[in-house]
Amino acid sequence: MKEKAMIGKGNGRFIFGMTAPTMLILLIMTVYPVIFTIVYSFTDYNYLKGIHPFIALENYVKLFENVYFRQAVFNTVLFTVLAVVSEVFLGLLLALYVRSLKKRQKLLRVLILLPYLLPAVTVALIWRMMLSPNYGIANQLLQTIGLPVFNWFRDPNTAFGTILVIDIWQNTPFAFLLLYACLQGVPDSQYEAAAIDGAGYFQSFWHVTLPNITGGLALCAMLRTIDTFRLFEKVNILTGGGPANTTSTITQYMYTYGIKTLDFGFASACAIVMTVFVLILSAVYIKRAVQS
Amino acid sequence: MNMKKKRLVAAALSAAMLASLTACGGSTGETSQAAADASSGGAAEGETTKMTLILRGGSYGDVLKASLPEFEAEHNVEIEVLDMSFDDLHTGIALDAVNEVGTYDLCMVDGSWMAEFTTNGVLANLSDMGYSFDEDIIPNTTEICKVGEDIYLAPYFGNVTVMLYNKANVEAAGYQPEDIQTLDDMLAVAQAAKASGVNGFAYRGDTGDNIVSDFLPILLACGGWVVDDNNQPTVNTQEFKDAMNYYMELIGTGAAMSKDDVTAAVDNGSATLAIGWPGWYVPSADSAADYMVSPGMRSEGAESFNTSEYGTWTIGIPANAPHPDLALELLQYVMDPEVQLASIANGGVPCRYSCLQNEEILAEYPHLSIVCDALDQGVYRPAIEEWTDFTNILGTEMGNIMAGVKTVDEGLADAQTQLEELMQQ
Amino acid sequence: MMKKSYLMTALKGIVGVLIIFLVLFPIYWLILMSIRPMSEMSGRISLIPGSITLEHFIKLFTEEGFDVALKNSLINSTISLVLSLATGLCTAYILARARFHFGLKKTMTKWILLVRVLPPVAFVIPLYTLFTKLGIIGTRLPIILACILINIPLIIWFMITFFQDLPGEVEESAKIDGATEWQLFWKIVLPLVLPGIAAVAMLSFMYAWNEYTYSVILTRSPENYTIPLMLSVLNTEDNVTNFGLVSAGGLTSFLPILLFVIFAQNYLISGLSSGAVKE
């Protein structure tokens, strides 16, 4: 006890030295933007005009009354739920599969990881080339088996699904990587014990694997939710939010109606609303992280 | 993990740190050098001045870049060019505009930003600086460049919508290209193509801006326009509805695509007609596709309108340009008839009669005569400050109509209400 | 029994081939487009190119200035990685150890996690005005700072768990032997969490390497162009896109990270499994 008290004493300078640089950077780079965004969200701030009359909650009212915005919120939430569930599920299957291999685990896990390493711009480009109605391989395939050419990104019925598939293709590897690492941490002794008890593959998965990786699954879902919620680049390059708003997301909306038009007051209000959304989504996680 | 591996990683990390430190030193050296160059402002004789231009990436900017080396040598300047995509160019110019001394000496401006930029003092008044247009420049193209008599921009790259068509498909439909005079003819060709199993009309259906751009030539031919003389929205008029109903029939013969696919489809014959920009396609005598001025009449015997929509890239000098005098010289230099004539070889399209009607040039680039006609009768998109928002709203509602989510009446009524609200603010 | 396991192996093989096909075919397509001559890019495109060319790569580096972008991306990503590691690791250590306590510790932890969650689009305009006021907008500094802003919270969030997993006894005994706090951290604690550092370094490098939203607003000079910016200019011009060129660019941008991952994959996996995913 005495030892610990000794250690605790007089390390104020050390604490300060270790945290000051981070604090300085984060203070400058987050406090100013946050205040800026909050203040301007209550004003009619157009960047070029340089004036910002106070208009109280008008931006927020306008935002919530706007049907495009509501549609964007709906799209974003739906997209996030579908993408995260599929990515975590597929990632888990992949991880279980690779873990079960006796040979070539190393090779396979690098190969599977590749899509995640590509920048969003390149991913969008690849799929645009593959799905093009004129020179895309996907449509050539359809034609070969006698089906008509299909316009994946321009048909309101398929545009959303197509972007979803692309997102799943790119991000499932991340879920795979995390969950694979997770599976490495499950002690072999537990599997042996289950085997002695006569448990089959599914039973031991249910009673041994799953309980050991719930934390990993939750974390994985959390991280993917945060990232998917701000989906922007792929949509902006591939569909620009069209056709008929079926692929517009909150960030895409904010970009089109706030940043592009230089209405930074409106953009700020949009940013605040979005932040609140993300905060609600991640509140559970942050709470847990702080407690531990 | 064994010690050896640990050491390796530690070594790698420290190497990376070292590398970054040296790199960091190098870069700060460079920037302070740049700052020194800028502050000298070319005052001292024999010292190189550094100018920065912000241009539209791709062929528009490339053409201008190609004429720079000579100017650099003559005036002892070093010119840097920032290539931007359409939206980023707009944001880039605007963001820099509020600074006291700006970064850019010359910027490329789309006509539709003109009103927003001049009301907010982004651009320098070129007339005050001593610039004036000569007779040779196609007069219609300069319309957007002025506020009253004051010149703010100069038309650099003549860009105007044309109608792309696939030669074989048009012929198969029983038409000669020069016979397509009215919107009815256009529809007939498209429907005949559709009946024979290929797409009739290909169009872009993604962002609001693209949807509106592709549609405006049709609207013009129907005698409608997006705003009236007082810049009040007129998207729920009889003409607009007529044009929209016609357009629905027209797009029913084809499919929405990205611009690369539109061009490829017309070229390979899987689509027959499209509204596009000359920059998309360079036709030749034996190419599969060509372009023409889009029809100006609704039907036979109806009034004929100018239907070519300008997308001309103009150049201007920011009001806060660091080297305004040099910038003016540069602007005059790249607008010079000789320099512009030479730029054609690099893909340029000058807005000058002397260039576009030059016999030698036309012998080599016959399609420029169509571009010249189109430029002569072009129409600029309305000069209103809210144009970006305007296209967002109109494009979205049109997208809803085209996707079948709303009827023509509903969509246009909704667009009109929102646009009125926008213009009142 | 023998027969059943034989069947299992065959089935697993088929599944493996299928997975590899789904994962790699798009990347194969990218490679293909980057080495295919322009003449083979219209109409029906064959699965195997008729001839192979390096023209796109050559044009990329000689005409488009991709070498400058590559150099910039390398410099920016490395500097931001090193700086965020240096500051982030220190802070994570303090936050993870209960023996360092100070008034605002909880607030600070929450706040750092919050930064990780906020959308970058919300920050970019205020940061632009901030950097303009500071007079550093023409340099590469803003982009480096933006990458640091993205990566510090990631590193701290990630490393806290690693430090917490280390048994406190090691530090206490070293302390009794007379080591200062700094020596303790630098010589004893850090080497023990190296796998974690490798894993988080890879992720941070990747985020910085692919960063676009901040770069496009904060770059004000062509000599500071990074690879994602070049790619987006090549990708969205109004003229017909040169697919060969953009594919070559996309592929080039991918190689450095690929090398990084191949070399660091053991650290990556062991790092992830021993730290962040444990709850």
Short mmCIF file of all heavy atoms in Angstrom, two decimals, chain C residues 142-192:
data_model
loop_
_atom_site.label_atom_id
_atom_site.label_comp_id
_atom_site.label_asym_id
_atom_site.label_seq_id
_atom_site.Cartn_x
_atom_site.Cartn_y
_atom_site.Cartn_z
N PRO C 142 -1.33 21.59 -42.80
CA PRO C 142 -2.73 21.33 -42.48
C PRO C 142 -3.14 19.87 -42.69
O PRO C 142 -3.86 19.30 -41.87
CB PRO C 142 -3.50 22.23 -43.46
CG PRO C 142 -2.57 23.33 -43.75
CD PRO C 142 -1.19 22.74 -43.71
N ILE C 143 -2.64 19.28 -43.77
CA ILE C 143 -3.04 17.89 -44.04
C ILE C 143 -2.43 16.96 -43.00
O ILE C 143 -3.09 16.04 -42.51
CB ILE C 143 -2.61 17.48 -45.45
CG1 ILE C 143 -3.29 18.40 -46.45
CG2 ILE C 143 -2.96 16.04 -45.73
CD1 ILE C 143 -2.81 18.26 -47.83
N ILE C 144 -1.17 17.24 -42.65
CA ILE C 144 -0.54 16.41 -41.62
C ILE C 144 -1.32 16.52 -40.32
O ILE C 144 -1.63 15.52 -39.67
CB ILE C 144 0.93 16.86 -41.42
CG1 ILE C 144 1.71 16.55 -42.70
CG2 ILE C 144 1.54 16.17 -40.22
CD1 ILE C 144 3.14 16.99 -42.67
N LEU C 145 -1.68 17.76 -39.95
CA LEU C 145 -2.43 17.96 -38.71
C LEU C 145 -3.78 17.25 -38.78
O LEU C 145 -4.23 16.64 -37.80
CB LEU C 145 -2.64 19.45 -38.46
CG LEU C 145 -1.40 20.19 -37.94
CD1 LEU C 145 -1.65 21.69 -37.89
CD2 LEU C 145 -1.04 19.69 -36.54
N ALA C 146 -4.43 17.31 -39.94
CA ALA C 146 -5.73 16.65 -40.07
C ALA C 146 -5.59 15.14 -39.88
O ALA C 146 -6.40 14.51 -39.21
CB ALA C 146 -6.35 16.97 -41.42
N CYS C 147 -4.54 14.57 -40.47
CA CYS C 147 -4.32 13.13 -40.30
C CYS C 147 -4.04 12.80 -38.84
O CYS C 147 -4.48 11.78 -38.33
CB CYS C 147 -3.16 12.67 -41.17
SG CYS C 147 -3.53 12.74 -42.92
N ILE C 148 -3.29 13.69 -38.18
CA ILE C 148 -3.03 13.48 -36.75
C ILE C 148 -4.34 13.50 -35.97
O ILE C 148 -4.57 12.67 -35.09
CB ILE C 148 -2.07 14.56 -36.22
CG1 ILE C 148 -0.68 14.36 -36.85
CG2 ILE C 148 -1.97 14.51 -34.70
CD1 ILE C 148 0.34 15.38 -36.43
N LEU C 149 -5.20 14.43 -36.33
CA LEU C 149 -6.49 14.53 -35.66
C LEU C 149 -7.29 13.24 -35.82
O LEU C 149 -7.97 12.79 -34.90
CB LEU C 149 -7.28 15.71 -36.25
CG LEU C 149 -8.68 15.94 -35.69
CD1 LEU C 149 -8.60 16.35 -34.24
CD2 LEU C 149 -9.43 16.97 -36.49
N ILE C 150 -7.19 12.63 -36.98
CA ILE C 150 -7.91 11.37 -37.19
C ILE C 150 -7.27 10.25 -36.39
O ILE C 150 -7.94 9.41 -35.81
CB ILE C 150 -7.89 10.99 -38.69
CG1 ILE C 150 -8.61 12.04 -39.51
CG2 ILE C 150 -8.49 9.61 -38.91
CD1 ILE C 150 -8.49 11.81 -41.00
N ASN C 151 -5.94 10.26 -36.35
CA ASN C 151 -5.23 9.09 -35.82
C ASN C 151 -5.00 9.08 -34.32
O ASN C 151 -4.96 8.01 -33.72
CB ASN C 151 -3.90 8.91 -36.55
CG ASN C 151 -4.13 8.34 -37.94
OD1 ASN C 151 -5.11 7.64 -38.16
ND2 ASN C 151 -3.25 8.65 -38.87
N ILE C 152 -4.84 10.24 -33.70
CA ILE C 152 -4.58 10.24 -32.25
C ILE C 152 -5.69 9.50 -31.48
O ILE C 152 -5.40 8.61 -30.69
CB ILE C 152 -4.37 11.67 -31.70
CG1 ILE C 152 -2.99 12.15 -32.08
CG2 ILE C 152 -4.54 11.71 -30.19
CD1 ILE C 152 -2.59 13.45 -31.42
N PRO C 153 -6.96 9.84 -31.72
CA PRO C 153 -8.00 9.13 -30.97
C PRO C 153 -7.99 7.63 -31.24
O PRO C 153 -8.17 6.83 -30.33
CB PRO C 153 -9.31 9.75 -31.50
CG PRO C 153 -8.92 11.04 -32.08
CD PRO C 153 -7.54 10.87 -32.59
N LEU C 154 -7.72 7.26 -32.49
CA LEU C 154 -7.66 5.85 -32.83
C LEU C 154 -6.57 5.15 -32.03
O LEU C 154 -6.79 4.11 -31.40
CB LEU C 154 -7.39 5.70 -34.33
CG LEU C 154 -7.25 4.27 -34.83
CD1 LEU C 154 -8.62 3.67 -35.06
CD2 LEU C 154 -6.43 4.21 -36.12
N ILE C 155 -5.40 5.77 -32.01
CA ILE C 155 -4.26 5.18 -31.31
C ILE C 155 -4.54 5.08 -29.81
O ILE C 155 -4.32 4.05 -29.18
CB ILE C 155 -2.98 5.99 -31.58
CG1 ILE C 155 -2.59 5.83 -33.05
CG2 ILE C 155 -1.86 5.56 -30.66
CD1 ILE C 155 -1.49 6.73 -33.51
N ILE C 156 -5.05 6.17 -29.25
CA ILE C 156 -5.30 6.17 -27.81
C ILE C 156 -6.34 5.11 -27.45
O ILE C 156 -6.12 4.28 -26.56
CB ILE C 156 -5.78 7.56 -27.33
CG1 ILE C 156 -4.64 8.57 -27.49
CG2 ILE C 156 -6.24 7.51 -25.88
CD1 ILE C 156 -4.98 9.97 -27.07
N TRP C 157 -7.44 5.11 -28.20
CA TRP C 157 -8.50 4.15 -27.94
C TRP C 157 -7.98 2.72 -27.99
O TRP C 157 -8.27 1.88 -27.15
CB TRP C 157 -9.60 4.34 -28.98
CG TRP C 157 -10.41 3.15 -29.23
CD1 TRP C 157 -11.42 2.67 -28.46
CD2 TRP C 157 -10.25 2.22 -30.30
NE1 TRP C 157 -11.91 1.51 -28.99
CE2 TRP C 157 -11.21 1.22 -30.13
CE3 TRP C 157 -9.39 2.15 -31.41
CZ2 TRP C 157 -11.32 0.14 -31.01
CZ3 TRP C 157 -9.51 1.10 -32.27
CH2 TRP C 157 -10.47 0.11 -32.07
N PHE C 158 -7.14 2.48 -28.96
CA PHE C 158 -6.59 1.15 -29.22
C PHE C 158 -5.59 0.75 -28.13
O PHE C 158 -5.62 -0.36 -27.61
CB PHE C 158 -5.86 1.24 -30.55
CG PHE C 158 -5.83 -0.03 -31.33
CD1 PHE C 158 -6.86 -0.31 -32.22
CD2 PHE C 158 -4.79 -0.92 -31.20
CE1 PHE C 158 -6.83 -1.47 -32.96
CE2 PHE C 158 -4.76 -2.08 -31.94
CZ PHE C 158 -5.79 -2.35 -32.83
N MET C 159 -4.70 1.68 -27.79
CA MET C 159 -3.58 1.32 -26.92
C MET C 159 -3.96 1.27 -25.45
O MET C 159 -3.29 0.60 -24.67
CB MET C 159 -2.41 2.29 -27.13
CG MET C 159 -1.76 2.19 -28.51
SD MET C 159 -1.24 0.53 -29.00
CE MET C 159 0.01 0.18 -27.77
N ILE C 160 -5.02 1.97 -25.08
CA ILE C 160 -5.43 1.94 -23.67
C ILE C 160 -5.61 0.49 -23.21
O ILE C 160 -5.08 0.06 -22.18
CB ILE C 160 -6.74 2.74 -23.44
CG1 ILE C 160 -6.45 4.24 -23.40
CG2 ILE C 160 -7.42 2.33 -22.14
CD1 ILE C 160 -7.66 5.10 -23.14
N THR C 161 -6.31 -0.29 -24.02
CA THR C 161 -6.56 -1.69 -23.68
C THR C 161 -5.25 -2.47 -23.54
O THR C 161 -5.12 -3.32 -22.67
CB THR C 161 -7.42 -2.36 -24.77
OG1 THR C 161 -7.85 -1.37 -25.67
CG2 THR C 161 -8.58 -3.08 -24.15
N PHE C 162 -4.30 -2.18 -24.42
CA PHE C 162 -3.02 -2.88 -24.36
C PHE C 162 -2.31 -2.61 -23.05
O PHE C 162 -1.82 -3.52 -22.38
CB PHE C 162 -2.11 -2.42 -25.50
CG PHE C 162 -2.32 -3.19 -26.76
CD1 PHE C 162 -3.19 -2.73 -27.72
CD2 PHE C 162 -1.66 -4.40 -26.97
CE1 PHE C 162 -3.40 -3.44 -28.88
CE2 PHE C 162 -1.86 -5.10 -28.12
CZ PHE C 162 -2.74 -4.63 -29.09
N PHE C 163 -2.24 -1.33 -22.70
CA PHE C 163 -1.55 -0.97 -21.46
C PHE C 163 -2.25 -1.56 -20.26
O PHE C 163 -1.62 -2.03 -19.32
CB PHE C 163 -1.45 0.55 -21.33
CG PHE C 163 -0.50 1.19 -22.30
CD1 PHE C 163 -0.91 2.22 -23.12
CD2 PHE C 163 0.81 0.74 -22.41
CE1 PHE C 163 -0.04 2.81 -24.02
CE2 PHE C 163 1.69 1.31 -23.31
CZ PHE C 163 1.26 2.35 -24.12
N GLN C 164 -3.59 -1.57 -20.31
CA GLN C 164 -4.34 -2.11 -19.17
C GLN C 164 -4.06 -3.59 -18.97
O GLN C 164 -4.09 -4.10 -17.86
CB GLN C 164 -5.83 -1.87 -19.37
CG GLN C 164 -6.24 -0.47 -18.99
CD GLN C 164 -7.67 -0.16 -19.38
OE1 GLN C 164 -8.29 -0.88 -20.16
NE2 GLN C 164 -8.19 0.93 -18.85
N ASP C 165 -3.80 -4.29 -20.08
CA ASP C 165 -3.57 -5.73 -19.99
C ASP C 165 -2.21 -6.09 -19.39
O ASP C 165 -2.00 -7.22 -18.97
CB ASP C 165 -3.68 -6.36 -21.38
CG ASP C 165 -5.13 -6.59 -21.76
OD1 ASP C 165 -5.99 -6.33 -20.90
OD2 ASP C 165 -5.39 -6.99 -22.89
N LEU C 166 -1.29 -5.13 -19.38
CA LEU C 166 0.03 -5.42 -18.81
C LEU C 166 -0.09 -5.53 -17.30
O LEU C 166 -0.70 -4.67 -16.67
CB LEU C 166 1.01 -4.29 -19.13
CG LEU C 166 1.50 -4.18 -20.56
CD1 LEU C 166 2.53 -3.06 -20.64
CD2 LEU C 166 2.10 -5.48 -21.02
N PRO C 167 0.49 -6.56 -16.71
CA PRO C 167 0.44 -6.66 -15.25
C PRO C 167 1.24 -5.54 -14.61
O PRO C 167 2.35 -5.22 -15.05
CB PRO C 167 1.06 -8.02 -14.97
CG PRO C 167 1.80 -8.40 -16.21
CD PRO C 167 1.16 -7.69 -17.34
N GLY C 168 0.65 -4.91 -13.58
CA GLY C 168 1.29 -3.77 -12.94
C GLY C 168 2.57 -4.12 -12.19
O GLY C 168 3.40 -3.26 -11.95
N GLU C 169 2.77 -5.41 -11.84
CA GLU C 169 3.92 -5.79 -10.99
C GLU C 169 5.26 -5.44 -11.64
O GLU C 169 6.20 -5.04 -10.96
CB GLU C 169 3.89 -7.29 -10.68
CG GLU C 169 2.72 -7.74 -9.83
CD GLU C 169 1.52 -8.12 -10.68
OE1 GLU C 169 1.71 -8.88 -11.64
OE2 GLU C 169 0.41 -7.64 -10.38
N VAL C 170 5.30 -5.64 -12.97
CA VAL C 170 6.55 -5.36 -13.68
C VAL C 170 7.02 -3.95 -13.39
O VAL C 170 8.17 -3.70 -13.05
CB VAL C 170 6.35 -5.53 -15.20
CG1 VAL C 170 7.66 -5.40 -15.92
CG2 VAL C 170 5.68 -6.85 -15.49
N GLU C 171 6.08 -3.02 -13.53
CA GLU C 171 6.42 -1.63 -13.34
C GLU C 171 6.82 -1.36 -11.90
O GLU C 171 7.78 -0.65 -11.62
CB GLU C 171 5.22 -0.74 -13.70
CG GLU C 171 4.98 -0.70 -15.19
CD GLU C 171 3.57 -0.26 -15.53
OE1 GLU C 171 3.23 0.87 -15.18
OE2 GLU C 171 2.82 -1.05 -16.12
N GLU C 172 6.07 -1.97 -10.97
CA GLU C 172 6.35 -1.70 -9.57
C GLU C 172 7.75 -2.17 -9.19
O GLU C 172 8.48 -1.48 -8.49
CB GLU C 172 5.29 -2.36 -8.68
CG GLU C 172 4.11 -1.44 -8.48
CD GLU C 172 2.88 -2.18 -7.99
OE1 GLU C 172 3.03 -3.08 -7.16
OE2 GLU C 172 1.77 -1.84 -8.48
N SER C 173 8.13 -3.38 -9.65
CA SER C 173 9.44 -3.88 -9.27
C SER C 173 10.54 -3.02 -9.90
O SER C 173 11.56 -2.75 -9.27
CB SER C 173 9.59 -5.35 -9.68
OG SER C 173 9.45 -5.48 -11.07
N ALA C 174 10.33 -2.57 -11.14
CA ALA C 174 11.33 -1.72 -11.77
C ALA C 174 11.46 -0.41 -11.02
O ALA C 174 12.54 0.15 -10.85
CB ALA C 174 10.96 -1.46 -13.22
N LYS C 175 10.32 0.04 -10.54
CA LYS C 175 10.26 1.30 -9.80
C LYS C 175 11.11 1.19 -8.53
O LYS C 175 11.85 2.09 -8.17
CB LYS C 175 8.80 1.57 -9.44
CG LYS C 175 8.53 2.92 -8.91
CD LYS C 175 8.29 3.91 -10.03
CE LYS C 175 8.36 5.30 -9.45
NZ LYS C 175 8.00 6.36 -10.34
N ILE C 176 10.98 0.04 -7.88
CA ILE C 176 11.73 -0.17 -6.64
C ILE C 176 13.23 -0.19 -6.95
O ILE C 176 14.04 0.29 -6.18
CB ILE C 176 11.28 -1.48 -5.96
CG1 ILE C 176 9.83 -1.30 -5.49
CG2 ILE C 176 12.17 -1.82 -4.77
CD1 ILE C 176 9.13 -2.57 -5.15
N ASP C 177 13.56 -0.70 -8.15
CA ASP C 177 14.96 -0.72 -8.56
C ASP C 177 15.49 0.66 -8.90
O ASP C 177 16.64 0.82 -9.30
CB ASP C 177 15.17 -1.64 -9.78
CG ASP C 177 14.98 -3.10 -9.40
OD1 ASP C 177 14.98 -3.38 -8.19
OD2 ASP C 177 14.82 -3.93 -10.31
N GLY C 178 14.62 1.66 -8.81
CA GLY C 178 15.09 3.03 -8.98
C GLY C 178 14.88 3.63 -10.36
O GLY C 178 15.46 4.68 -10.68
N ALA C 179 14.10 2.98 -11.21
CA ALA C 179 13.87 3.55 -12.54
C ALA C 179 12.94 4.73 -12.45
O ALA C 179 12.02 4.74 -11.63
CB ALA C 179 13.27 2.49 -13.46
N THR C 180 13.17 5.76 -13.28
CA THR C 180 12.25 6.89 -13.31
C THR C 180 11.02 6.49 -14.12
O THR C 180 11.04 5.50 -14.84
CB THR C 180 12.90 8.12 -13.97
OG1 THR C 180 13.15 7.78 -15.35
CG2 THR C 180 14.17 8.51 -13.30
N GLU C 181 9.97 7.29 -14.01
CA GLU C 181 8.73 6.98 -14.75
C GLU C 181 9.02 6.90 -16.25
O GLU C 181 8.49 6.06 -16.96
CB GLU C 181 7.68 8.06 -14.48
CG GLU C 181 7.03 8.00 -13.11
CD GLU C 181 6.02 6.86 -12.98
OE1 GLU C 181 5.90 6.07 -13.92
OE2 GLU C 181 5.38 6.76 -11.92
N TRP C 182 9.84 7.83 -16.71
CA TRP C 182 10.11 7.88 -18.15
C TRP C 182 10.86 6.62 -18.61
O TRP C 182 10.51 6.01 -19.61
CB TRP C 182 10.90 9.14 -18.48
CG TRP C 182 11.33 9.16 -19.92
CD1 TRP C 182 12.61 9.01 -20.37
CD2 TRP C 182 10.50 9.28 -21.07
NE1 TRP C 182 12.62 9.04 -21.74
CE2 TRP C 182 11.33 9.21 -22.20
CE3 TRP C 182 9.11 9.45 -21.25
CZ2 TRP C 182 10.84 9.30 -23.50
CZ3 TRP C 182 8.63 9.53 -22.55
CH2 TRP C 182 9.48 9.46 -23.65
N GLN C 183 11.89 6.23 -17.83
CA GLN C 183 12.64 5.01 -18.17
C GLN C 183 11.72 3.80 -18.18
O GLN C 183 11.82 2.93 -19.04
CB GLN C 183 13.77 4.80 -17.16
CG GLN C 183 14.92 5.75 -17.34
CD GLN C 183 15.87 5.69 -16.17
OE1 GLN C 183 15.49 5.34 -15.05
NE2 GLN C 183 17.13 6.04 -16.42
N LEU C 184 10.84 3.79 -17.21
CA LEU C 184 9.88 2.69 -17.07
C LEU C 184 9.04 2.57 -18.33
O LEU C 184 8.90 1.50 -18.93
CB LEU C 184 8.97 3.06 -15.89
CG LEU C 184 8.20 1.96 -15.21
CD1 LEU C 184 9.21 1.04 -14.55
CD2 LEU C 184 7.29 2.59 -14.17
N PHE C 185 8.54 3.70 -18.78
CA PHE C 185 7.66 3.73 -19.94
C PHE C 185 8.43 3.35 -21.20
O PHE C 185 8.02 2.51 -22.00
CB PHE C 185 7.07 5.14 -20.07
CG PHE C 185 6.27 5.36 -21.32
CD1 PHE C 185 5.09 4.66 -21.54
CD2 PHE C 185 6.69 6.27 -22.28
CE1 PHE C 185 4.36 4.86 -22.69
CE2 PHE C 185 5.95 6.47 -23.44
CZ PHE C 185 4.78 5.77 -23.65
N TRP C 186 9.58 3.96 -21.36
CA TRP C 186 10.33 3.83 -22.61
C TRP C 186 11.01 2.47 -22.72
O TRP C 186 10.99 1.83 -23.75
CB TRP C 186 11.35 4.97 -22.67
CG TRP C 186 12.16 5.02 -23.93
CD1 TRP C 186 13.51 4.86 -24.03
CD2 TRP C 186 11.69 5.24 -25.26
NE1 TRP C 186 13.90 4.96 -25.34
CE2 TRP C 186 12.79 5.20 -26.12
CE3 TRP C 186 10.41 5.47 -25.81
CZ2 TRP C 186 12.70 5.38 -27.49
CZ3 TRP C 186 10.31 5.64 -27.19
CH2 TRP C 186 11.44 5.60 -28.01
N LYS C 187 11.61 2.01 -21.59
CA LYS C 187 12.43 0.80 -21.67
C LYS C 187 11.67 -0.47 -21.33
O LYS C 187 12.05 -1.56 -21.77
CB LYS C 187 13.63 0.93 -20.72
CG LYS C 187 14.59 2.01 -21.19
CD LYS C 187 15.99 1.73 -20.71
CE LYS C 187 16.99 2.65 -21.35
NZ LYS C 187 17.77 3.39 -20.35
N ILE C 188 10.63 -0.36 -20.52
CA ILE C 188 9.96 -1.58 -20.08
C ILE C 188 8.57 -1.74 -20.67
O ILE C 188 8.24 -2.78 -21.24
CB ILE C 188 9.90 -1.62 -18.54
CG1 ILE C 188 11.34 -1.65 -18.04
CG2 ILE C 188 9.11 -2.83 -18.05
CD1 ILE C 188 11.50 -1.66 -16.58
N VAL C 189 7.77 -0.70 -20.58
CA VAL C 189 6.38 -0.84 -21.02
C VAL C 189 6.27 -0.92 -22.55
O VAL C 189 5.67 -1.83 -23.09
CB VAL C 189 5.51 0.31 -20.48
CG1 VAL C 189 4.10 0.21 -21.01
CG2 VAL C 189 5.51 0.26 -18.95
N LEU C 190 6.88 0.04 -23.24
CA LEU C 190 6.73 0.09 -24.70
C LEU C 190 7.14 -1.20 -25.41
O LEU C 190 6.39 -1.69 -26.26
CB LEU C 190 7.47 1.30 -25.28
CG LEU C 190 6.71 2.62 -25.26
CD1 LEU C 190 7.42 3.66 -26.11
CD2 LEU C 190 5.27 2.47 -25.74
N PRO C 191 8.31 -1.76 -25.09
CA PRO C 191 8.68 -3.00 -25.79
C PRO C 191 7.65 -4.11 -25.62
O PRO C 191 7.48 -4.94 -26.50
CB PRO C 191 10.01 -3.38 -25.14
CG PRO C 191 10.56 -2.11 -24.63
CD PRO C 191 9.39 -1.29 -24.21
N LEU C 192 6.94 -4.08 -24.49
CA LEU C 192 5.96 -5.14 -24.25
C LEU C 192 4.71 -5.00 -25.10
O LEU C 192 3.99 -5.97 -25.32
CB LEU C 192 5.57 -5.16 -22.76
CG LEU C 192 6.65 -5.68 -21.81
CD1 LEU C 192 6.21 -5.46 -20.38
CD2 LEU C 192 6.94 -7.15 -22.07
#
